[in-house]
């Protein structure tokens, strides 16, 4: 530690000496012939007589912020959360560690999300993006038009016991009194939808785990009856899990039933 402290002091002393030398050289006029090689940068904020330019600038900043938040919106306002949770539980239930890798699971979840949200995305494109690009509507109207299909999708997914409890929870916490679904503000609808997606994903993961637990119990009982107490049951049960999963068409069954929870089929 003392050696590192000495090295640190030496580095700081060298920096101060360098800065002092540069100041002396500049004061002596040595760097003046080369001053033209270093461009000057200035930042000025002035007043404007055109309020529309300020509005346009703010709209551009708002759109840039929306684009920066696009990954979070794709994850939280669609079925991506439920899909990636179910796929992760499936991998953990088979005890295959990192097979499939995280990148593969995220890619599968992304394309399944695009498949599920295709009607909503098409409606957003037709009612918001195309009219906004043609100048028929402004940014506020485009956002309102884009929110409608997402809101309808969330309402459909919240049509269950867990979703109703989540909506009631956030309405009570915010002190909001709502009599119609269309009056639920996004500040209540979005958190309720996220909680519902987490609940549905973990519930499906529980049912996926059950058959694999049965295989683990059978393998552990067989090993115990054979006196192989020191042999890890997970090492023997994993090949059987993979074999049963493949023979039963596991990925197809998991994805099919998961899509049915979104209203497909």
């Amino acid at each position: 530690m003392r050696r590192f402290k000495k090295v640190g002091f030496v580095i700081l002393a060298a920096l101060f000496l360098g800065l002092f030398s540069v100041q002396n050289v500049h004061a002596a006029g040595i760097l003046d012939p080369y001053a033209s090689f270093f461009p000057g940068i200035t930042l000025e904020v002035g007043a404007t007589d055109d309020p529309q330019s300020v509005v346009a600038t703010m709209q551009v900043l708002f759109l840039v912020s929306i684009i920066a938040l696009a990954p979070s919106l794709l994850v939280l306002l669609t079925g991506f959360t439920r899909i990636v949770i179910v796929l992760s539980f499936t991998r953990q239930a088979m005890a295959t560690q990192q097979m499939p890798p995280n990148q593969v699971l995220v890619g599968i979840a992304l394309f399944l999300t695009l498949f599920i949200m295709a009607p909503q995305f098409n409606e957003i494109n037709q009612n918001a993006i195309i009219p906004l690009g043609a100048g028929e509507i402004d940014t506020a109207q485009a956002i309102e038009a884009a929110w409608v299909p997402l809101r309808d999708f969330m309402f459909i997914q919240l049509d269950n016991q867990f979703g109703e409890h989540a909506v009631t929870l956030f309405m009570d916490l915010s002190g909001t009194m709502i009599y119609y679904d269309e009056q639920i503000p996004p500040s209540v609808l979005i958190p309720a939808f996220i909680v519902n997606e987490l609940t549905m994903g973990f519930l499906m993961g529980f049912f996926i785990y059950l058959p694999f637990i049965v295989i683990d119990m059978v393998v552990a009982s067989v090993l115990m009856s054979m006196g192989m107490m020191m042999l890890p049951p997970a090492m023997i049960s994993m090949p059987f899990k993979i074999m049963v999963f493949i023979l039963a068409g596991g990925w197809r069954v998991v994805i099919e039933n998961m899509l049915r929870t979104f209203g497909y089929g």
Side-chain angles (χ1 to χ4, degrees), residues 1-247:
M1 291 298 295
R2 293 180 179 178
R3 181 179 299 178
F4 287 116
K5 290 182 179 179
K6 291 181 179 179
V7 173
F9 286 133
V10 171
I11 294 175
L12 291 176
L15 289 175
F16 282 119
L17 288 176
L19 293 175
F20 181 74
S21 300
V22 170
Q23 291 179 356
N24 289 336
V25 170
H26 182 71
I30 299 177
L31 293 180
D32 290 342
Y34 303 98
S36 60
F37 292 97
F38 300 96
I41 300 175
T42 60
L43 180 62
E44 296 181 358
V45 178
T48 180
D49 297 330
D50 186 11
Q52 292 298 119
S53 61
V54 179
V55 175
T57 303
M58 297 302 296
Q59 290 178 349
V60 172
L61 292 176
F62 182 76
L63 290 177
V64 171
S65 302
I66 293 295
I67 294 174
L69 294 175
S72 299
L73 298 177
L74 178 64
V75 170
L76 298 179
L77 303 185
T78 62
F80 183 88
T81 302
R82 186 190 308 184
I83 295 172
V84 75
I85 289 175
V86 171
L87 295 179
S88 299
F89 269 114
T90 304
R91 182 180 66 181
Q92 294 178 9
M94 289 191 297
T96 55
Q97 301 300 324
Q98 294 297 322
M99 288 297 162
N102 292 328
Q103 293 84 349
V104 175
L105 293 184
V106 173
I108 295 173
L110 178 60
F111 280 99
L112 290 178
T113 301
L114 294 177
F115 173 79
I116 294 171
M117 302 297 297
Q120 286 75 24
F121 289 160
N122 291 333
E123 186 175 351
I124 292 173
N125 184 51
Q126 293 294 329
N127 299 335
I129 297 178
I130 294 179
L132 179 63
E136 299 175 358
I137 59 176
D138 56 15
T139 305
Q141 293 174 339
I143 294 175
E144 181 65 25
W147 167 247
V148 172
L150 292 177
R151 182 191 62 192
D152 295 340
F153 173 78
M154 293 181 188
F155 280 141
I156 294 174
Q157 304 309 316
L158 290 172
D159 189 15
N160 55 68
Q161 180 181 1
F162 303 108
E164 293 175 357
H165 289 172
V167 173
T168 303
L169 169 65
F170 286 101
M171 287 175 59
D172 293 340
L173 293 177
S174 62
T176 305
M177 298 298 296
I178 300 298
Y179 301 98
Y180 301 98
D181 291 342
E182 290 75 10
Q183 297 179 352
I184 299 179
S187 59
V188 172
L189 182 61
I190 294 176
F193 174 75
I194 295 172
V195 171
N196 180 71
E197 290 298 294
L198 291 173
T199 304
M200 295 297 295
F202 275 80
L203 182 62
M204 295 181 65
F206 167 76
F207 288 110
I208 291 173
Y209 252 100
L210 290 180
F212 294 105
I213 291 177
V214 173
I215 296 176
D216 287 334
M217 294 177 61
V218 172
V219 172
S221 300
V222 172
L223 293 177
M224 186 175 299
S225 63
M226 295 175 63
M228 299 180 179
M229 306 294 295
M230 303 301 296
L231 186 63
M235 183 183 300
I236 305 300
S237 63
M238 186 177 69
F240 290 100
K241 291 180 181 179
I242 297 175
M243 181 184 65
V244 172
F245 190 75
I246 296 300
L247 293 177

